[in-house]
Amino acid sequence: MCAMTVLEAIRNRYSCRAYQDKPIEEEKLDQVFEAARLAPSAKNLQDWRFVAVTDKETKAKLAAAANNQQFLEKAGAIIVACSNCDEVMRCGQAVGPIDVAIALEHICLRATELGLATCWIGSFYPDKVRPILGIPQNIAIIELMALGYPADRQKEPKREPIEKILCYQKWRF
């Protein structure tokens, strides 16, 4: 398999909402989590923690806790991304959500390279997810992510032109 460039992975990544009912090989799971492990983090805290759920019954419970998004049940895995950190950076931003987001995007790009697809899931109820997986109260559940073999195709995403999102030297929007 010929490795794709980072830019190719970025262009090929999309929010997949239809998955083949097919397990993900353990070696591929190891590779996507290795990508997360290598992500940068504030103060090198490496505060992310992940629960990878591959069990059908547990995936069904998580799908219900995720606003009944039934497509999650067919994903090879549902990643529950958490943070064990309540620190705030000097700039005023919380460390946990940012660090977890960086690690998850590393997962997205490596998954894309491996022929897998992902979908960020922000529509979920942490108070329903927590007891399903036994996540302690002091751990923040930041995001869920579907991971698996796609059963759909990427649609061309609508993106703003660069001039609308970038200016140099001063704010010019």
Side-chain angles (χ1 to χ4, degrees), residues 100-122:
V100 168
I102 295 167
L104 283 173
E105 193 57 18
H106 275 54
I107 286 172
C108 288
L109 296 177
R110 184 66 173 133
T112 299
E113 182 185 31
L114 294 170
L116 300 168
T118 58
C119 187
W120 290 74
I121 307 295

Side-chain angles (χ1 to χ4, degrees), residues 68-144:
N68 294 310
Q69 295 181 74
Q70 297 304 309
F71 74 91
L72 290 170
E73 293 184 47
K74 284 205 173 170
I78 299 172
I79 300 169
V80 180
C82 304
S83 175
N84 65 4
C85 178
D86 59 3
E87 289 198 38
V88 174
M89 293 181 277
R90 187 169 290 123
C91 65
Q93 299 300 314
V95 167
I98 293 171
D99 284 358
V100 168
I102 295 167
L104 283 173
E105 193 57 18
H106 275 54
I107 286 172
C108 288
L109 296 177
R110 184 66 173 133
T112 299
E113 182 185 31
L114 294 170
L116 300 168
T118 58
C119 187
W120 290 74
I121 307 295
S123 180
F124 68 95
Y125 301 98
D127 58 326
K128 292 181 180 180
V129 171
R130 195 173 301 285
I132 294 168
L133 302 177
I135 298 172
Q137 287 295 324
N138 65 318
I139 301 297
I141 303 171
I142 306 295
E143 193 77 14
L144 306 184

